[in-house]
Amino acid sequence: MSTTDWLTPLQHILNCQVRFITFSLSDWKGLVQQADTSWAYDDNRDKISEGNRAANNGRTWIVVKVSGNAVETLEIDGELKQAEAELITWTLQWNQAQQQLAPKPSTLSESESFALKLSEWIQQQLESEEPSYSIPDHLTAGGKLFAEMIPFLLVTEYTNGKQASYPELEKLLRSFLAEDILLIPLKNQEWLIWGPVSLLKEADSEFMEDEDEETVEDSLTSICHGLHEMLASEWIGECHLAVAHPVCPAKGIVETTVLLRETINLGRKFHVGTSIHLPWMLQLERLLNAIPEVQRSRYLEHALKRTELFVEAEMLATLETFFSLDCNVSETAKKLYIHRNTLLYRLDKLKQETGLDVRQFRDAVLVKIILLLYKVTKRN
C-alpha cells in the first residue's frame, strides 16, 4: 500500500489536517532541538528512525521514512493525545518491521529506483489540493532535471495480457531517443518519458534535406510518430502517445503531466482510432469539452434538426479529410481518390441542405464544431 493511501483515513480519524513534509537531516535535527517535546525510539536521539516524534506550537511531526539525506514525516495540525501519538508510532514501526521481514524484491537499477521515488512524489502532488510544482532538491538528480527536456506520455493497452517491465522499456527508449532519457512509471499502463532537447536538432536536419522550413511543432510531431511506430511494432502493440513542448522537469513536471493526460483523454474522446495526440492540435476540443454535456447535446440537437446529412458516412469522411487538409479542395479530392467536381458537388449539396458553405471560414468553423460534438454525443 502506498503511503498516500492511508493519509485521508488518518485525517478523518484524527479530525485534523495531515500532510507529508520532507526535511533534510540537518533541518529535522534542528526542529527536534527547538521542539517543545520530542520522542526518539529507545531514547537514542542521535538515531532517526520511523516513529520518532517532535511537537512544537500546536503541531506534531512523526517520521515515516528515512531515505539518504531526506526525512519524510507526517505533519499533523493540532496536539495529539498521548495514546494517539503512541498508536501512530507503533503502526509505523510495525510496518517497517514487516517490510524488513518480507521477501526482498529483485534488485532495482539506480535509474528505476530513482524513477519510483519521483513517481511517488508526482502522484502526491496530483492528489494534493495545494500541489508543489517544483521538485524537491533531493529528487533533481544532481541538477540534471534543470535542463530543458522533451516530455512524452505513453499509455499502453495490454490487449494480450502482457505486462511491460521497466528495464525492457528503458532499453528500447535509449536505443531510439538517446542514452540520456528519464522514464517514470505513473500508473500500471502509464509512463512519463523525458527525452533530450537535442532530438529537435536531429529532426530539423532531416527536414533540411527536403528544403522545408521546420517548426518546433513539426519536429515534435515527427519525433512522436517515429517513437510510436517503434513502440507499437517492437514493444507491446497498441498504445497512445502524447508530446508537449520542451520544458524544465524540475519546475514543470507536474503541470506537464496534467497537460499530457488531458491531451490523451481529449484525443481518445474526440478522435477515436487516433493514437498520437498533440496538445496544440486540440485547442477547439479542449474548449468544447469544458461546455456542460446538456448544453452540448441541446446545441447538437438543434443543428441536426435541419438535416441528417452530417451523419452520413460519405459526408463525414469527406468533411474530415477536407478539414485535415486545411480546406484545400484539390488536395482533398486527391486524398479521397475522387474527381474535383465530385467533391464540389458534395460541398454544394451540404450548402443547399444546411445553408453552410465549408469553403467560407465562418461556416467551416460551425461545421467543425458540429462534427466534434456529434462524435462525443453519439458515443455517450
Coordinates of all heavy atoms in Angstrom, one line a residue, residues 22 58 118 214 248 270 286:
T22 N 8.8 16.8 3.9 CA 10.1 16.2 3.8 C 11.1 17.2 4.3 O 11.2 18.4 3.8 CB 10.5 15.8 2.4 OG1 9.5 14.8 1.9 CG2 11.9 15.1 2.3
G58 N 1.8 23.6 18.7 CA 0.5 23.0 18.4 C 0.6 22.1 17.2 O -0.5 21.6 16.7
L118 N 10.5 9.5 -7.7 CA 10.0 10.6 -8.3 C 8.5 10.4 -8.7 O 7.7 11.3 -8.6 CB 10.8 10.9 -9.6 CG 10.6 12.2 -10.3 CD1 10.8 13.4 -9.4 CD2 11.6 12.4 -11.5
E214 N 11.1 23.9 -41.0 CA 10.5 23.1 -39.9 C 10.2 23.9 -38.7 O 11.1 24.6 -38.2 CB 11.5 21.9 -39.6 CG 11.1 21.1 -38.5 CD 10.1 20.0 -38.9 OE1 9.5 20.1 -39.9 OE2 10.0 19.0 -38.1
C248 N 11.5 22.5 -18.5 CA 12.4 22.1 -17.4 C 11.7 21.2 -16.5 O 10.8 21.6 -15.8 CB 13.0 23.3 -16.7 SG 13.9 23.0 -15.2
F270 N -12.4 12.6 -28.6 CA -12.9 13.3 -29.8 C -12.4 12.6 -31.1 O -13.0 12.8 -32.2 CB -12.5 14.7 -29.8 CG -13.3 15.6 -28.9 CD1 -12.9 15.8 -27.6 CD2 -14.5 16.1 -29.3 CE1 -13.6 16.6 -26.7 CE2 -15.3 16.9 -28.5 CZ -14.8 17.2 -27.2
R286 N -10.6 21.1 -26.5 CA -10.5 21.5 -25.1 C -11.6 22.4 -24.7 O -12.1 22.3 -23.6 CB -9.1 22.1 -24.8 CG -8.8 22.4 -23.4 CD -7.4 22.9 -23.1 NE -6.4 21.8 -23.3 CZ -5.6 21.7 -24.4 NH1 -5.6 22.6 -25.3 NH2 -4.8 20.6 -24.5

